[in-house]
Amino acid sequence: MSTSKHLLFFDGVCVLCNHTVHFIHARDRQDVFLFAQLQGALARELLARQGKDAAALDGVYLLADRGSANERLLWKYAAVRFVLGQLGGPWKGLSVLMGVLPARVGDFFYDLVARNRYRLVGKYEQCALPPPALRRKFVADGE
C-alpha cells in the first residue's frame, strides 16, 4: 500500500458519486484518500494542467501520489481499479480481477454507467455538503 495521499475528484451533484466517496472513506484504513468536487476551482486548475476539462464531468479523476515525483492522473476505469487496489482486502482482489479486461473495454462500461448516472441514481440540486466526519478529507480550493 502507498503512503502518499491520493486526491479523488468527483461530480459533487451526482448521488452515485457522493455514495462512492462515502464507500471509499469507510474503507480507507490507511487514510490515503482525499476528495474534491469537480465543480471547484482546484479541480479546474489541476485537471487543466493535465489537459482535462473538469467542467465536462465525464468521469472520476484521481491524482495519485499527489505532490510526489510519482504524481499521475488516472481517470475512469483506471482510477476505479487503483482505488479498489488501495483499499486492500477483497477490494484489492476485485481490482486484480478487473485487470483482465482491456482498459478500453473497462472504459466502455464505465462510460455507460457515467452517461446514465443521473437518470439511474439521481442528482442533487447543488453540490452536497460532506458530513462532519468526512469534512477533514476534503481539499478546499487553494489547498
Side-chain angles (χ1 to χ4, degrees):
M1 298 241 179
S2 172
T3 57
S4 297
K5 293 288 186 179
H6 311 297
L7 180 56
L8 184 81
F9 294 102
F10 69 100
D11 179 355
V13 298
C14 171
V15 172
L16 177 62
C17 301
N18 277 276
H19 285 301
T20 300
V21 167
H22 290 272
F23 174 89
I24 294 167
H25 173 65
R27 290 155 183 83
D28 184 13
R29 306 279 186 248
Q30 300 297 315
D31 193 31
V32 295
F33 289 101
L34 299 171
F35 306 99
Q37 296 173 344
L38 280 168
Q39 289 85 347
L42 178 66
R44 284 191 302 277
E45 175 189 333
L46 291 178
L47 293 177
R49 278 195 247 154
Q50 301 282 340
K52 300 291 180 188
D53 180 10
L57 300 176
D58 63 350
V60 64
Y61 296 91
L62 179 77
L63 194 58
D65 299 311
R66 180 181 179 221
S68 79
N70 297 323
E71 181 179 282
R72 66 211 175 277
L73 183 69
L74 304 171
W75 61 95
K76 297 184 180 185
Y77 192 70
V80 172
R81 279 195 61 219
F82 181 90
V83 168
L84 291 173
Q86 292 295 302
L87 295 179
W91 306 110
K92 184 172 185 160
L94 179 58
S95 172
V96 170
L97 283 174
M98 290 170 69
V100 302
L101 277 182
R104 71 181 193 288
V105 174
D107 280 345
F108 169 80
F109 288 110
Y110 180 95
D111 288 340
L112 186 64
V113 172
R115 269 193 311 272
N116 296 294
R117 69 190 185 274
Y118 296 149
R119 189 170 42 84
L120 294 171
V121 185
K123 179 179 178 180
Y124 298 115
E125 291 297 316
Q126 59 187 15
C127 290
L129 289 175
L134 187 54
R135 283 190 193 134
R136 70 172 187 81
K137 303 283 279 182
F138 272 68
V139 178
D141 290 341
E143 285 186 52

